[in-house]
Amino acid sequence: MTIPFIDLKAQYQRLQPQIDAAIQRVLERGQFILGEEVAAFENEFANFCGTRHAIAVANGTDAIQLALLACGIQPGDEVITSAFTAVATVAAIEIAGARPILVDINPDTYCVDPECVYRAITLRTRAIVPVHLYGFPAEITLLQEISAKNNITLIEDCAQAHGASYNKKGVGTWGKAGAFSFYPTKNLGAYGDGGAIVTNDVSVADRLRRLRQYGWSQERVSEQKGMNSRMDELQAAILRVKLADLEYSNIRRIELANQYRTRLSESQILLPVRRPGIEPVYHHFVIRHPRRETLRCYLANQGIATLVHYPMPVHLQKGYFNLGYTAGSFPISEMASREVLSLPLYPEMTYEMVDEVCQAVLAFPS
Ligand SMILES: *Cc1c(COP(=O)(O)O)cnc(C)c1O
């Protein structure tokens, strides 16, 4: 491929002296799990998000699961989320013992349609988990209102939206808790797995700290049930370097996305919709095309890598047939699965590379 979808090696090269020093520091200190790097990262990440607490865990799926448990979600409780998300969102709800209730999306935001959320509420609904997909905040003010009026916990899946905001208020601060993933390809990525939950509620934070380590309130004293979902020191030290760079790299993404917009606005291609008050961080630059597969092959033949997020909505995945939905249950999600295409976008990409992708897209016979 002449233009890769993402280039994590280029990012390492840009930050190499700081990353190497961070790794060296951890190796020489000789403490590897939940130590001072994790504590420092938690402080810095809470600061970045604008919350009182951040609790680092092993991955983003655990972050969602633990957030649900810490908020008191019980087996059999219904939790509403999007049919059009990474399977991880739904997996986390099921693993927490709750029943995922899927709803359709708004075709402009690719996030849950608040009207559909409202209609899905029953007496058993205990939580809503909106996903800020592709780095674009969901319609969070409406969702917050629905959750407050119906006394339902709001937990945001922020795995693709580190640093995004709505009306200047960051994602992860609107609900009871916000769950983040630091999977290597995310806007803030570790060199392995990682995740975190942010919250302003001290009792939720305390419960999360116990839940992530066998329910311990102090060493070897299990105050409650728990699991093992700890972050290691190497990942925390690397994440501290990358967090200091996140504002810059998000700005780079926005600049490159704006260039895509300008160049592609001459075409019929459906671009990500901008809405007032929204400050996205472009985890992906997603266009829509009725002949998506043909366009994707056309670009691949010219050495341009693209991906599809997501080729199949969760309700049509074999592993989730048990939820009881069928083809046609969520028409907008199903349309999006057929038409969305993620173009290459990462902070180290150059304007020339974006231009090359745009030229190829514009030359696609329509
Ligand atoms: C990546 C991702 C997750 C899960 O994160 P992991 O760290 O891979 O467990 C959850 N939700 C969304 C929307 C994601 O993109």
Side-chain angles (χ1 to χ4, degrees), residues 59-61 64 85-86 88-89 131 157 159-160 181 186:
N59 59 66
T61 310
I64 300 167
T85 177
T89 315
V131 183
D157 180 344
Q160 303 192 359
S181 163
K186 308 286 166 143

Side-chain angles (χ1 to χ4, degrees), residues 25 29 52 66 71 77 122 139 184-185 187 191 193 195 199 207-208 216 219 239 256 265 271 291 324 332 350:
R25 187 170 76 224
R29 189 182 296 127
R52 274 204 273 282
L66 292 173
C71 290
D77 288 347
T122 72
E139 289 161 87
T185 58
N187 287 40
Y191 288 156
D193 276 309
T199 180
R207 274 197 293 280
L208 283 166
W216 284 2
E219 251 181 64
L239 284 167
L256 295 165
S265 61
L271 299 173
R291 285 179 297 127
I332 315 280
T350 63

Side-chain angles (χ1 to χ4, degrees), residues 44-81:
E44 290 157 13
F45 192 63
N47 249 332
F48 175 83
C49 293
T51 54
R52 274 204 273 282
H53 314 279
I55 297 87
V57 296
N59 59 66
T61 310
D62 283 2
I64 300 167
Q65 183 201 344
L66 292 173
L68 288 163
L69 294 175
C71 290
I73 284 15
Q74 305 269 336
D77 288 347
E78 292 181 359
V79 176
I80 300 173
T81 193

Side-chain angles (χ1 to χ4, degrees), residues 5-6 84-86 105 110 133-134 160 185-186 283-287 292 296 306-313 333 336-344:
F5 186 74
I6 186 171
F84 191 63
T85 177
I105 55 169
Y110 300 109
L133 206 68
Y134 307 148
Q160 303 192 359
T185 58
K186 308 286 166 143
H283 178 54
H284 296 306
F285 190 86
V286 179
I287 61 169
R292 193 260 320 277
R296 190 164 185 228
T306 57
L307 283 176
V308 173
H309 303 93
Y310 295 91
M312 197 187 272
S333 299
S337 299
R338 284 190 301 269
E339 298 193 354
V340 292
L341 184 66
S342 307
L343 300 180

Side-chain angles (χ1 to χ4, degrees), residues 172-207:
T173 67
W174 293 82
K176 194 73 170 164
F180 289 83
S181 163
F182 307 122
Y183 186 79
T185 58
K186 308 286 166 143
N187 287 40
L188 177 59
Y191 288 156
D193 276 309
I197 305 101
V198 297
T199 180
N200 283 319
D201 184 320
V202 68
S203 60
V204 169
D206 286 344
R207 274 197 293 280

Side-chain angles (χ1 to χ4, degrees), residues 5 9 40 49 65 87 103 138 163 179 202 223 232 243 279 347 363:
F5 186 74
K9 235 173 92 176
C49 293
Q65 183 201 344
V87 168
V103 298
V202 68
E223 179 88 19
D232 66 68
L243 179 59
E279 287 186 63

